Amino acid sequence: MASTDQLTTASDQSARAARAAPGRSWLPLLAVSLGFFMVILDVTVVTVAVPVLGGALHTSASALQWVVDGYTLVFACLLLLCGALGDRFGHRRAFLAGLAVFTVASVACGAATTGGQLIMARLLQGAGAALMVPASLALLRAAYPEPAARARAFGVWGAVSGLGAAAGPVIGGLAVWAINWRAVFLVNLPFGLLATALTVRCVPAPRPHRGARLRLPAQLLGVAALAALTTALNEGGTRGWADPLIVGCLGGAVAAGAACTVLLRRPVDAAVRSSRAQRRGLAGGATVGLLLNLGFYGLLFLATLYFQRQRGYGPLTAGLALLPMFVVMTVSSFASGRLAARTGPRAPMVAGLLAGAVGLAGWLLAAPDTPYPVLVAPMALAGLGTSFAMPAATTAVMESAPSERGGTAAALLNAARQLGSALGVALFGSLSAAHLIPGIHLSALLAATGFVLAAATAAVTAPGRRA
């Protein structure tokens, strides 16, 4: 086994090689982005295939819900644990392990012959995603040590999120139409193989922090809290919020979360103890991520229902109707990274969140017969605001974390985002269950308010202009 010094030397040589080859400087970003693209794609790509695969596999409605939600559940619950594993054992190892698990699980999804097999494969996909996402940000931080280049890389990483979310319904619809529902999952195979090859050849391996404590009791309590909360949010709308299972899950989430917080407040190694400013930056970035995803993805869920149920669009047409939002997100994320590189993350975060608040409030114009062009501007503004805020928030969180805890910081941000998405879909879905249009209006006001609160949080906690 190589010694720590040998690992350090190899890591330093790899990083120097990456910096010494300007023509290849984009390859680490491409490798990491391909993995992240698969993770985001599989959040949305399966939605348009659900009716077809349900008929093909003869599955119940509740089983179909777990085909969609099981992936997100495992992904959200394992993020903190997988981020800590990356800090301890190495982020490139964690990323490659996640790629392998995700790719194999995608093949298993495509080969499933029963609903149970498909659900188990989707759960395995979620575990692979949880390994990849925290490691991807830590690898970008190591591959691009210069702050401006790092901010631009985080901008591209954020653009991939918008691109994956936009491509999901379109790729899923085309795959089902042209081939069959199995192609929805098998499309991940070439992405996974290419990302693995590029990662092995081109991505420098940052030194793992061998002395880092995994703090397994706290990590497992955190997993239990997120699992209980996510289960309650996913099942509450179907079972009713007074159902004993839902009440028990919510109570268990509170108890496990409180115990996890107590354990995490105990002193850690002095080498990884963060300053007050760093803790404020981490907490502020996580809060922004939660509020942003709550408002954006909660209202996106209602927008999809609006176009399909209220306007009568098919799944593919509804996906295309949302393209203005995602196209703006994808394009402007690159500008967000460059702006954050020049000004620091605070300015694009605040400006983006305020612009997004205006766009979300624009859904107050939605009515049963509202012309589609009237809704294009609100969708574009919401996409623009999100694309400016999220990469900047990522930069703020990663720069606030000690280098030894980059994976844990990335996991914290993404766990907060996943929790925000689950809260937004559950809350806004409940508000709109009886009457869609009034529910959209109330949800739009709540989403816009959340963006304004996030902007205020960013103004206080995010790093400003760099020296």
Side-chain angles (χ1 to χ4, degrees), residues 54-451:
L57 298 179
H58 308 289
T59 56
S60 64
S62 60
L64 288 177
Q65 183 175 353
W66 277 104
V67 169
V68 177
D69 293 341
Y71 171 78
T72 308
L73 172 65
V74 174
F75 178 32
C77 292
L78 294 183
L79 273 169
L80 291 173
L81 178 60
C82 290
L85 288 173
D87 288 334
R88 177 67 177 81
F89 297 107
H91 292 294
R92 192 169 71 167
R93 289 178 180 174
F95 189 73
L96 287 170
L99 278 171
V101 170
F102 195 95
T103 304
V104 170
S106 297
V107 174
C109 286
T113 57
T114 66
Q117 292 176 2
L118 181 58
I119 292 171
M120 292 304 297
R122 285 286 284 173
L123 298 179
L124 193 60
Q125 273 190 316
L131 278 167
M132 276 194 282
V133 170
S136 69
L137 286 172
L139 289 174
L140 287 182
R141 178 176 175 170
Y144 301 96
E146 199 274 317
R150 184 188 306 151
R152 289 191 292 270
F154 287 155
V156 174
W157 188 86
V160 168
S161 176
L163 181 62
V170 178
I171 290 177
L174 289 175
V176 172
W177 173 75
I179 308 175
N180 57 37
W181 66 267
R182 298 182 187 278
V184 169
F185 302 104
L186 296 178
V187 73
N188 290 324
L189 184 58
F191 289 118
L193 294 176
L194 180 58
T196 299
L198 287 173
T199 302
V200 171
R201 291 179 59 87
C202 306
V203 177
R207 181 179 61 181
H209 185 59
R210 298 294 184 184
R213 295 167 54 194
L214 286 178
R215 312 183 81 173
L216 278 178
Q219 294 285 353
L220 293 176
L221 283 168
V223 169
L226 285 173
L229 180 59
T230 309
T231 300
L233 293 173
N234 284 339
E235 297 290 337
T238 303
R239 292 175 173 267
W241 296 103
D243 184 88
L245 174 65
I246 305 304
V247 174
C249 284
L250 291 174
V254 172
C260 176
T261 302
V262 170
L263 290 178
L264 288 177
R265 289 179 66 88
R266 293 179 180 177
V268 297
D269 297 336
V272 296
R273 191 170 294 165
S274 55
S275 68
R276 182 177 180 181
Q278 287 176 322
R279 290 194 298 270
R280 185 171 66 245
L282 287 169
T287 301
V288 168
L290 187 147
L291 292 172
L292 187 148
N293 272 42
L294 187 151
F296 179 79
Y297 286 100
L299 205 60
L300 175 63
F301 172 73
L302 295 188
T304 305
L305 293 181
Y306 171 79
F307 285 126
Q308 293 193 58
R309 294 183 181 176
Q310 190 68 50
R311 306 302 292 269
Y313 294 178
L316 180 57
T317 306
L320 294 174
L322 295 168
L323 275 184
M325 179 186 300
F326 292 113
V327 169
V328 171
M329 282 182 66
T330 303
V331 173
S332 57
S333 289
F334 296 98
S336 169
R338 293 184 178 275
L339 181 61
R342 294 178 182 178
T343 68
R346 183 188 301 160
M349 283 175 74
V350 173
L353 288 164
L354 292 178
V358 175
L360 294 173
W363 276 90
L364 291 170
L365 300 173
D369 55 353
T370 301
Y372 173 74
V374 173
L375 298 174
V376 170
M379 286 192 290
L381 268 177
L384 177 70
T386 301
S387 65
F388 265 74
M390 200 61 249
T394 302
T395 301
V397 167
M398 295 306 292
E399 291 191 354
S400 296
S403 59
E404 298 86 351
R405 293 298 190 195
T408 301
L412 173 66
L413 172 63
N414 284 283
R417 292 182 63 190
Q418 291 298 316
L419 178 58
S421 298
L423 285 170
V425 170
L427 175 61
F428 294 173
S430 297
L431 292 175
S432 306
H435 303 287
L436 181 59
I437 298 300
I440 288 177
H441 292 168
L442 178 56
S443 299
L445 288 175
L446 292 175
T449 302
F451 267 52

